[in-house]
Amino acid sequence: MNRSSSASRGDNRHLLLFLLFLVGICAAAVYTGAVPTRKFGHDIFFLLDNGWRVVTGQRPHLDYTSPWGPLSFLVVAAGLAASRYSVDAIGYGNAMFAFAVGIWGYRLCRDTVPAAPRFLLCLYLALLVVSPYSLGWGALNSSHAMFYNRYGYALLGVLMIEAFLGGGGLPDRDRLLGGLSTGAVTALCLFLKANYFAAAVLLIGASFLWKPFDKRRLAGIAAGFCLVSLAFLAYLQFDIGAILRDLDIAAGARSKSFSYTEVFRKFTLNALSLLFVLLLTIQSARAKGEGTGTRRLAGVLLGCFVFAVDMLLLCSNQQYSELPLTAIYSLWVVIDLGAWSRNTPGGEARRSSVGVKSTVLIGTVFILVSFCSQATGLAYGVMQKAHPSGVASVTRFIEPRLKEMLLYDDVAEPDSNGHAYVESVNDGTLLLRQSSAPSEKVLAMDMMNPFPYALGRPAPKGGMAAIAYNYTFSDSHRPSDARFFGDTDIVMVPKRPAAPGRMNAGLMRIYVPALQARFRLAAESNQWYLYRRK
């Protein structure tokens, strides 16, 4: 009785400590809000524009074309509502999502993972959501670009907890709930971004090879997937045709930018991680005294499989390094080895103690490197928000809603970050205030559309979540002219696009004939042409 009470008090202390750290991470995300941005500054309007569309009643796939599902847009919309439509909505939304993921992961591994690795893993998932830099681009290159990738990795981390951690998985009484969790995660990935859904399906398939087949777990996966999918489909008015059309456009367009050279480059940049996984799994098997039999082979194959899924995501994202799933797998090896050590007779454990300790150390270091990268990104974002550097030399937005945002010059991307982009947006908002009515709906023929959110206007039904030639649309896979322009009143055409070159040239070549047929040039400024519907 006393032992049970002591264990319960210990669990409560661990939970309280975890909650304190988790709340601290989420508070840091809220405080950082729209981080002072050093890379891909225009991408912040991807989040704000699509979140604003959702807040004002639009739905992706139905009202505009989107390769992404509604999940990340709904998160930003919740942040907009919580922050009273501030640009800091991004931090609010990320904090909500991180808290949910952290608690979800902790509940799943509460009974199967020891306190220390459980603490590390679940805080890592929360940091994966909120750390304000684009994965693979360096923790000090603060940015909110491609944040949906962070959501996807965190969700897959939750899936891996149920699928692989804790040896045989959750206790019998919880296997149905574990399956419900995995099914729900898979559905969330489907309505986030298609490649994360594919990764979730692959990981589930591997889990059935790794652990005993369980009908209750399978039933839970099916039920969780159906319930969450039905909720999203209801939100999208069960228009499955619109969803499939957008996914087909995305797949066809993305295939145009696929390059074996880029795949090879990404593999070579990350090949050391594969070697590490192989050495870690082999060393783990040796430490446990396992021979060259099935168990060792299964561990090696599972490590290679997780690395392959990580590489699949890497190659389908604008990302060159960082393998969060492989980092989580390295912790799984540590947890598995620790469980073996605790359950092994003393003499055998002592004979393997050196191998066990060295393997645990190596595996822990691997995930700690990724953990520290995420923590560094968040800490740097907080410091920059509290004491931004070089403010006197930063060009500021003039619209009240945007004044809190700081975009620093980026030598590598001068048109999409820093003074050039800020001046372009400022010039466009001035032109719109002078030459259009507040009720007129504005579409920008550029990668992002900053104007509806910046001016507080309703967005047009039409356009795309993000416009990128041979990435989100192509000559053969694209929205029709009527769907692209929708009910737009004003079209803004940049003289200096944020994404110059081939990407913008493809957009102009495809849609300018329809623009000239439907709209007339009504005004212009130094940086924009303003077209009004005829």
Side-chain angles (χ1 to χ4, degrees):
M1 180 69 175
N2 291 335
R3 188 175 300 172
S4 176
S5 298
S6 177
S8 178
R9 286 196 298 272
D11 286 344
N12 289 336
R13 285 196 298 270
H14 289 142
L15 175 58
L16 179 59
L17 184 62
F18 170 74
L19 287 174
L20 287 174
F21 274 86
L22 179 62
V23 169
I25 289 171
C26 295
V30 169
Y31 175 77
T32 304
V35 70
T37 303
R38 298 184 178 276
K39 199 82 178 169
F40 311 125
H42 69 317
D43 267 38
I44 199 167
F45 287 108
F46 169 82
L47 298 170
L48 294 172
D49 178 49
N50 287 289
W52 181 246
R53 281 180 181 264
V54 170
V55 163
T56 55
Q58 291 193 25
R59 304 179 191 193
H61 307 310
L62 276 63
D63 297 311
Y64 61 99
T65 302
S66 175
W68 299 271
L71 176 59
S72 57
F73 306 154
L74 287 166
V75 173
V76 179
L80 283 168
S83 66
R84 299 182 181 180
Y85 311 117
S86 161
V87 292
D88 289 330
I90 297 165
Y92 282 75
N94 288 342
M96 295 177 200
F97 198 84
F99 188 82
V101 165
I103 293 295
W104 191 348
Y106 193 93
R107 175 61 185 86
L108 278 177
C109 62
R110 185 186 62 184
D111 299 324
T112 59
V113 177
R118 179 170 72 236
F119 188 87
L120 175 66
L121 172 59
C122 296
L123 290 183
Y124 176 66
L125 295 179
L127 284 169
L128 262 182
V129 174
V130 302
S131 189
Y133 73 92
S134 300
L135 286 167
W137 291 90
L140 303 185
N141 279 325
S142 300
S143 177
H144 288 297
M146 299 169 277
F147 243 67
Y148 42 81
N149 291 331
R150 290 186 166 277
Y151 294 174
Y153 280 119
L155 287 171
L156 292 177
V158 171
L159 187 151
M160 288 179 69
I161 290 174
E162 189 277 333
F164 303 117
L165 297 186
L170 297 170
D172 289 346
R173 68 183 184 278
D174 287 338
R175 291 206 176 165
L176 178 62
L177 293 176
L180 281 168
S181 169
T182 291
V185 166
T186 306
L188 289 172
C189 288
L190 175 62
F191 291 96
L192 173 71
K193 192 181 175 191
N195 60 339
Y196 289 98
F197 171 68
V201 171
L202 290 172
L203 290 171
I204 291 171
S207 75
F208 279 112
L209 297 175
W210 179 254
K211 62 201 308 184
F213 180 81
D214 188 285
K215 290 182 180 179
R216 286 167 296 181
R217 178 173 179 255
L218 181 61
I221 291 173
F225 179 80
C226 290
L227 287 172
V228 174
S229 295
L230 283 172
F232 275 100
L233 287 173
Y235 171 72
L236 297 173
Q237 300 178 353
F238 294 96
D239 195 341
I240 297 175
I243 299 170
L244 294 177
R245 177 195 60 221
D246 282 6
L247 291 177
D248 178 65
I249 289 174
R254 193 68 179 88
S255 67
K256 300 294 184 181
S257 57
F258 178 82
S259 166
Y260 286 106
T261 302
E262 185 175 1
V263 171
F264 178 76
R265 180 187 175 193
K266 290 183 177 182
F267 178 81
T268 54
L269 287 173
N270 294 277
L272 285 177
S273 295
L274 175 59
L275 292 176
F276 172 83
V277 167
L278 292 173
L279 291 173
L280 183 65
T281 52
I282 292 170
Q283 177 65 18
S284 174
R286 285 178 176 172
K288 291 188 286 187
E290 294 177 353
T292 57
T294 304
R295 186 70 178 177
R296 178 188 292 188
L297 179 62
V300 172
L301 290 178
L302 180 59
C304 292
F305 183 80
V306 172
F307 174 82
V309 173
D310 241 344
M311 287 302 302
L312 170 69
L313 294 172
L314 201 77
C315 292
S316 55
N317 295 338
Q318 190 64 22
Q319 180 184 341
Y320 287 89
S321 61
E322 295 199 57
L323 302 170
L325 304 186
T326 305
I328 293 171
Y329 175 77
S330 74
L331 183 61
W332 176 86
V333 173
V334 170
I335 294 168
D336 185 57
L337 188 56
W340 172 87
S341 182
R342 288 191 301 273
N343 298 323
T344 301
E348 186 178 343
R350 280 193 296 273
R351 288 194 298 272
S352 302
S353 62
V354 175
V356 169
K357 289 178 181 178
S358 62
T359 307
V360 167
L361 177 62
I362 295 169
T364 304
V365 165
F366 189 84
I367 191 170
L368 280 177
V369 169
S370 186
F371 184 97
C372 290
S373 178
Q374 308 309 316
T376 299
L378 180 59
Y380 183 69
V382 169
M383 288 189 296
Q384 284 293 292
K385 191 73 171 187
H387 304 287
S389 58
V391 175
S393 62
V394 176
T395 304
R396 306 298 291 264
F397 288 101
I398 60 174
E399 282 299 317
R401 277 191 170 182
L402 306 181
K403 280 186 176 179
E404 296 302 314
M405 285 170 50
L406 293 176
L407 303 188
Y408 290 91
D409 287 340
D410 179 11
V411 176
E413 301 281 344
D415 293 309
S416 62
N417 207 68
H419 78 277
Y421 187 70
V422 174
E423 289 172 356
S424 175
V425 173
N426 287 343
D427 186 75
T429 54
L430 284 174
L431 178 61
L432 284 165
R433 287 193 178 280
Q434 294 167 359
S435 304
S436 68
S439 60
E440 290 185 302
K441 300 174 183 178
V442 182
L443 175 70
M445 288 188 69
D446 202 359
M447 182 177 283
M448 310 300 172
N449 184 8
F451 300 117
Y453 170 77
L455 297 169
R457 297 185 181 186
K461 291 186 177 180
M464 303 181 70
I467 302 174
Y469 180 64
N470 282 347
Y471 284 89
T472 61
F473 76 103
S474 67
D475 293 86
S476 57
H477 292 78
R478 64 181 182 88
S480 66
D481 295 344
R483 180 166 173 77
F484 181 79
F485 289 105
D487 65 354
T488 299
D489 299 307
I490 300 289
V491 177
M492 297 289 285
V493 179
K495 296 180 179 180
R496 182 177 178 177
R502 178 180 57 84
M503 197 171 289
N504 185 260
L507 170 66
M508 293 294 114
R509 177 171 48 77
I510 291 171
Y511 286 113
V512 160
L515 170 71
Q516 294 174 338
R518 291 168 166 79
F519 299 83
R520 60 178 176 82
L521 180 63
E524 69 175 289
S525 63
N526 290 334
Q527 302 210 42
W528 294 89
Y529 296 106
L530 185 153
Y531 285 81
R532 175 171 279 108
R533 189 175 287 275
K534 293 179 179 178

